[in-house]
Amino acid sequence: MEKRKSSCAGSTTVAATLAVFLLAFTGITVYLFIAKPWWFPKPITDVGVLIDSQFHRTLIITGIVFVMAQLGLAWVVFRYRDNGQKASYFEGNNAFEVAWTLATIVLFVGLGLYAESAWATVHFTPAAPGDLQIEVTGQQFTWNFRYPGPDGKFGMLKPSMVSASTGNALGLDRSDQDAKDDIVSPIIAVPVNREVELLIRSQDVTHSFFVRELRLKQDAVPGMIIHMHFTATVVGEYDLACAELCGLGHYKMSSKLKVLSEADFAQWMKDQVANQ
Ligand SMILES: [Cu+2]
């Protein structure tokens, strides 16, 4: 290959350093994903387990592509470093471009087709009859959870009656027969191994109901009641956060999800009835 003047030649050190950096960067990244020093908390629903296995499948495939691409880059950086040779120009390789575009399509469509129908199970199929319904209301910057009470019916809400100072954050019309036994709580408690249906709404701006262990995140949109259902299988207390930047107090818009045994849940319900 034709040489340029030797004074213009590049340095092997620069190319080698960059190649070594790429190797180290790839190694550290792969290590962090395998050792998992920071990882998701364990899922507490069967759907969460399905979502995790799909996540792992995607991660393994994209991980292999990532490692190959980084190793290829490190090799090219070192192999074709500036030795003082003249740069040559070429217009690319159509066969390669078609091949990797097709490979990407096959990969993404394939992963989509192979995916467990976990997400669709939650969003497109309704909860089974006899589930426990809980209404979730987001408002700047708190969560309120309403249970229909022993009659199983949610009472009337009147926006004109919303008053945080009198403790009626939802505007519940207690004169309505169905509203008399409604229970409103700042945390959400659910019985273990029983299907729960959430009716998610917002009183002002868009919020987002998010519990990591449920692997569920759903926007609360003003003017809509969005249904979502889950069955928690592990007793415990979990953080619930608003996952939508909803204003200055967004950072403190959090609550708790308590998954209780059947007996503890019955007791919790009793305490709530006494407190209303
Ligand atoms: Cu919010």
Side-chain angles (χ1 to χ4, degrees):
M1 199 175 272
E2 207 177 334
K3 288 264 179 184
R4 303 199 312 274
K5 275 185 278 167
S6 63
S7 60
C8 306
S11 151
T12 299
T13 320
V14 173
T17 308
L18 184 53
V20 168
F21 166 77
L22 284 167
L23 293 178
F25 163 76
T26 308
I28 292 168
T29 307
V30 170
Y31 168 77
L32 289 177
F33 275 96
I34 291 174
K36 296 191 171 93
W38 307 287
W39 204 250
F40 319 137
K42 280 203 162 61
I44 56 165
T45 63
D46 293 348
V47 167
V49 173
L50 292 182
I51 288 177
D52 277 18
S53 45
Q54 175 68 7
F55 181 88
H56 277 105
R57 267 195 293 279
T58 309
L59 191 62
I60 288 168
I61 294 173
T62 51
I64 291 170
V65 174
F66 166 78
V67 169
M68 282 171 26
Q70 297 306 311
L71 295 185
L73 183 59
W75 180 73
V76 165
V77 161
F78 186 73
R79 170 73 181 76
Y80 298 101
R81 67 190 180 279
D82 185 1
N83 274 327
Q85 75 271 41
K86 263 215 154 140
S88 57
Y89 173 77
F90 77 104
E91 289 193 341
N93 184 322
N94 283 340
F96 268 145
E97 287 193 27
V98 170
W100 66 59
T101 305
L102 277 179
T104 310
I105 292 172
V106 169
L107 210 74
F108 277 87
V109 175
L111 271 173
L113 291 177
Y114 189 67
E116 305 283 355
S117 53
W119 189 88
T121 310
V122 174
H123 291 270
F124 295 151
T125 54
D131 59 351
L132 171 67
Q133 287 199 325
I134 304 172
E135 182 195 71
V136 179
T137 303
Q139 63 185 109
Q140 290 171 320
F141 297 98
T142 54
W143 291 104
N144 277 296
F145 304 94
R146 183 158 69 117
Y147 297 75
D151 68 351
K153 285 185 207 153
F154 287 110
M156 187 113 66
L157 293 180
K158 284 193 179 155
S160 61
M161 296 179 86
V162 170
S163 163
S165 51
T166 60
N168 192 358
L170 296 179
L172 189 59
D173 181 2
R174 290 283 186 192
S175 67
D176 175 35
Q177 200 54 40
D178 295 338
K180 286 202 160 60
D181 62 350
D182 283 14
I183 290 158
V184 180
S185 162
I187 63 143
I188 177 171
V190 303
V192 71
N193 294 327
R194 174 154 173 219
E195 189 167 39
V196 172
E197 183 179 8
L198 302 179
L199 287 70
I200 302 174
R201 55 193 286 277
S202 166
Q203 223 153 253
D204 38 45
V205 300
T206 305
H207 300 280
S208 184
F209 174 94
F210 179 40
V211 177
R212 297 171 303 166
E213 288 83 355
L214 293 178
R215 301 289 190 269
L216 290 179
K217 186 189 276 178
Q218 175 59 55
D219 275 5
V221 183
M224 291 178 80
I225 295 178
I226 299 172
H227 292 246
M228 199 169 72
H229 54 98
F230 66 88
T231 306
T233 54
V234 185
V235 169
E237 186 172 308
Y238 309 99
D239 288 327
L240 187 166
C242 176
E244 185 75 59
L245 186 55
C246 57
L248 277 179
H250 165 69
Y251 71 94
K252 62 177 178 186
M253 187 167 167
S254 64
S255 180
K256 292 282 179 201
L257 163 71
K258 280 188 182 175
V259 180
L260 304 172
S261 69
E262 202 59 62
D264 286 349
F265 181 71
Q267 185 56 48
W268 183 84
M269 255 313 174
K270 241 185 223 165
D271 296 345
Q272 297 306 307
V273 172
N275 288 340
Q276 292 298 306

